[in-house]
């Protein structure tokens, strides 16, 4: 883990290096180092990276706002932000230079998309669910149990149909280019008041509990149908809510718990997998259009290769770094903090699906389904994505989904 590699570099020295060479150059340099990392080694690598990045005058300098990400948690939840920066700068020989600004320094989960739309930043990384407040069409990913697995999510992201039902409407309605995303499915993460209770094996055991919900409207529909009392709480305030017992749990995904340092206050991870947890990266359509054909092609190719990286890296990190497995690997974040994982069996997941999905409760979803279908120029968004998600066998492993360039059909 990068934070372990940098444990011999003081915070003061790290701040000095980021001030001298910039955050992006320092983080890219740190990620490239292996073995014992000293301040001197990091300074040499940062200088080399800086000189390489700044050897030519860029045609475009883009500002990349990434909600809560830093060098540590990008190796827990593998969202691909720095890989994209590195690839696009090398691919364009410096014609595009990107300044990465993470740690909520320029935008947070709820407003990164808005600041991109306003032109304050050029691109962003945040969850689609939290971004749905500023770009409501992102709710289209959040129908309950539309995706049966992480493999189905990745398959959809690579599918040409994702252009028609997701990417094109996002351009048209919200002036955002959806580039790539990590893929997990959301469950309920229970706080410390559940620490000494038996492992939850059915959503009915959570009836009447109070649980944090993101900015997605569709997530609230599902949670209401499962009697989970969705309570809007900002991501940045969720840890305190779990710690103080103001809420029973939080609706989010496993690697988010790990990267946000929530594991010490999350006692049980309940694997409901009831809708998307997608930490995506997107770019302003206005900025994308200004690049011209050759650089637009480069952006798409870098987005594709980053998507391939994320698919493999996050699947490995879930088991080897986060501890999202049963049994857990020793030394993982969940194992170290005593965070138990309830994977739930097929019957328990089917029970939850029958409680909340559009297949079984069409009337509850009708208003939002009609709204999203209208924004998508009349297509049945739920059925369209649902069918794509089932083109592969349900037991397909996420790492075995074949990548393809979605924009080439």
């Amino acid at each position: 883990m990068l934070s372990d590699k940098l444990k011999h570099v003081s915070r003061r020295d790290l701040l000095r290096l980021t001030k001298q060479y910039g955050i992006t150059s320092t983080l890219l340099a740190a990620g490239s180092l292996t073995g014992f990392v000293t301040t001197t080694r990091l300074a040499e690598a940062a200088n080399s990276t800086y000189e390489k990045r700044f050897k030519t005058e860029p045609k475009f300098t883009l500002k990349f706002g990434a909600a809560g990400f830093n060098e540590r948690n990008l190796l827990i939840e593998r969202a691909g932000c720095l890989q994209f920066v590195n690839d696009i700068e090398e691919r364009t020989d410096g014609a595009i230079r990107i300044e990465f600004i993470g740690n909520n320094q320029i935008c947070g989960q709820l407003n990164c998309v808005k600041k991109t739309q306003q032109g304050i930043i050029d691109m962003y990384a945040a969850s689609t669910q939290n971004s749905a407040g500023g770009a409501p069409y992102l709710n289209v990913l959040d129908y309950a149990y539309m995706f049966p697995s992480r493999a189905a999510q990745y398959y959809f992201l690579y599918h040409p149909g994702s252009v028609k039902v997701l990417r094109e409407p996002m351009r048209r309605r919200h002036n955002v280019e959806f580039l790539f995303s990590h893929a997990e499915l959301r469950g309920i993460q229970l706080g410390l008041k559940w620490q000494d209770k038996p492992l939850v094996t059915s959503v009915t055991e959570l009836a009447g509990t109070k649980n944090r919900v993101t900015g997605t409207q569709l997530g609230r529909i599902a949670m209401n149908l499962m009697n989970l009392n969705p309570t809007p709480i900002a991501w940045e305030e969720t840890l305190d809510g779990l710690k103080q017992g103001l809420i029973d749990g939080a609706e989010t995904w496993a690697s988010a718990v790990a990267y946000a340092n929530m594991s010490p206050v999350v006692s049980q991870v309940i694997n409901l997998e009831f809708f998307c947890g997608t930490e995506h990266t997107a770019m302003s359509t206005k900025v994308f259009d200004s690049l011209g054909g050759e650089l637009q092609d480069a952006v798409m190719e870098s987005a594709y290769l980053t998507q391939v990286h994320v698919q493999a890296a996050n699947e490995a990190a879930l088991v080897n770094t986060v501890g999202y497995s049963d049994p857990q690997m020793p030394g993982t974040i969940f194992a170290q903090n005593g965070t138990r994982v309830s994977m739930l069996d097929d019957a328990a997941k089917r029970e939850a699906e029958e409680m909340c999905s559009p297949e079984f409760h069409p009337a509850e979803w009708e208003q939002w389904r009609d709204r999203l279908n209208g924004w998508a120029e009349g297509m049945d968004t739920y059925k369209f994505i649902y069918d794509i998600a089932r083109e592969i066998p349900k037991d397909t492993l996420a790492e075995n989904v074949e990548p393809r360039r979605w924009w080439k059909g």
Side-chain angles (χ1 to χ4, degrees):
M1 188 180 297
L2 190 53
S3 56
D4 292 334
K5 288 199 292 183
L6 296 179
K7 63 184 178 183
H8 300 291
V9 179
S10 72
R11 180 172 177 81
R12 176 180 293 180
D13 286 340
L14 189 59
L15 288 173
R16 176 177 59 80
L17 292 175
T18 57
K19 184 176 181 180
Q20 183 174 355
Y21 299 112
I23 295 172
T24 307
S25 295
T26 305
L27 292 183
L28 290 173
S32 69
L33 293 173
T34 58
F36 187 84
V37 178
T38 63
T39 301
T40 301
R41 281 193 70 202
L42 181 58
E44 291 172 349
N47 180 58
S48 175
T49 302
Y50 178 87
E51 290 181 348
K52 179 182 176 182
R53 295 180 67 228
F54 286 81
K55 68 180 179 181
T56 58
E57 189 68 24
K59 294 180 180 178
F60 298 91
T61 299
L62 307 183
K63 194 175 293 184
F64 186 170
F69 288 119
N70 56 37
E71 76 285 351
R72 173 186 176 274
N73 53 40
L74 280 170
L75 287 177
I76 298 174
E77 181 186 299
R78 305 301 288 262
C81 303
L82 293 177
Q83 285 75 20
F84 177 81
V85 171
N86 188 55
D87 192 86
I88 192 65
E89 290 187 347
E90 289 192 354
R91 183 176 303 280
T92 64
D93 197 26
I96 293 177
R97 184 185 299 161
I98 297 178
E99 292 307 316
F100 177 82
I101 308 171
N103 264 348
N104 297 308
Q105 291 181 71
I106 197 167
C107 66
Q109 283 283 347
L110 296 177
N111 65 7
C112 276
V113 65
K114 294 178 182 177
K115 290 193 174 183
T116 302
Q117 292 165 330
Q118 293 165 353
I120 297 171
I121 55 179
D122 302 299
M123 56 189 302
Y124 72 93
S127 82
T128 62
Q129 290 72 36
N130 279 318
S131 302
Y137 188 74
L138 285 171
N139 278 280
V140 77
L141 294 173
D142 297 341
Y143 292 106
Y145 288 101
M146 181 169 63
F147 290 101
S149 65
R150 295 192 301 275
Q153 292 174 286
Y154 283 117
Y155 182 80
F156 169 75
L157 290 170
Y158 288 123
H159 198 286
S162 70
V163 176
K164 182 177 181 181
V165 74
L166 173 63
R167 302 170 195 270
E168 188 55 46
M170 284 296 295
R171 293 188 195 109
R172 189 173 61 250
R173 288 203 59 81
H174 299 308
N175 299 310
V176 165
E177 299 290 316
F178 190 108
L179 296 177
F180 57 88
S181 182
H182 114 300
E184 290 183 53
L185 289 163
R186 291 173 178 265
I188 298 297
Q189 328 299 321
L190 295 172
L192 294 180
K193 64 170 66 175
W194 291 78
Q195 190 170 28
D196 298 322
K197 295 183 180 181
L199 195 64
V200 171
T201 58
S202 166
V203 70
T204 58
E205 298 170 36
L206 300 177
T209 56
K210 185 178 181 181
N211 297 280
R212 172 260 184 182
V213 68
T214 50
T216 171
Q217 295 296 325
L218 271 63
R220 293 172 187 167
I221 295 172
M223 291 177 71
N224 277 321
L225 287 169
M226 290 188 287
N227 197 17
L228 295 177
N229 293 320
T231 305
I233 297 178
W235 176 243
E236 293 80 8
E237 299 171 6
T238 302
L239 190 149
D240 281 342
L242 290 169
K243 185 177 182 179
Q244 297 171 17
L246 301 176
I247 50 177
D248 289 278
E251 157 268 292
T252 187
W253 62 86
S255 67
V257 171
Y259 94 66
N261 200 30
M262 286 184 181
S263 301
V265 300
V266 170
S267 61
Q268 297 190 36
V269 173
I270 313 305
N271 186 37
L272 279 173
E273 295 190 323
F274 67 115
F275 74 103
C276 273
T278 33
E279 199 88 53
H280 76 310
T281 292
M283 174 183 284
S284 159
T285 294
K286 182 179 179 181
V287 172
F288 181 79
D289 288 346
S290 73
L291 298 177
E294 184 176 347
L295 292 181
Q296 287 175 351
D297 289 343
V299 168
M300 297 306 295
E301 192 67 17
S302 289
Y304 165 74
L305 289 175
T306 304
Q307 185 67 78
V308 175
H309 165 84
V310 168
Q311 175 189 355
N314 201 65
E315 284 301 302
L318 280 172
V319 175
N320 297 325
T321 304
V322 176
Y324 185 58
S325 61
D326 185 17
Q328 292 172 337
M329 295 279 284
T332 58
I333 294 169
F334 284 177
Q336 290 174 344
N337 288 282
T339 302
R340 294 177 288 164
V341 177
S342 178
M343 284 300 185
L344 299 185
D345 59 24
D346 288 343
K349 290 180 184 176
R350 180 66 174 179
E351 175 187 48
E353 181 178 355
E354 292 181 0
M355 291 175 68
C356 70
S357 83
E359 291 291 290
F360 296 93
H361 300 273
E364 302 290 340
W365 296 85
E366 184 178 8
Q367 183 177 358
W368 262 98
R369 190 170 177 176
D370 287 347
R371 182 178 298 173
L372 289 164
N373 292 348
W375 291 341
E377 299 188 336
M379 81 167 71
D380 186 340
T381 52
Y382 171 69
K383 184 69 164 55
F384 191 89
I385 300 174
Y386 182 98
D387 288 346
I388 289 175
R390 283 156 183 79
E391 289 180 4
I392 57 174
K394 186 177 180 179
D395 61 355
T396 302
L397 296 176
E399 58 264 36
N400 289 340
V401 173
E402 182 180 359
R404 52 178 165 170
R405 292 167 174 81
W406 55 88
W407 67 97
K408 293 189 175 183

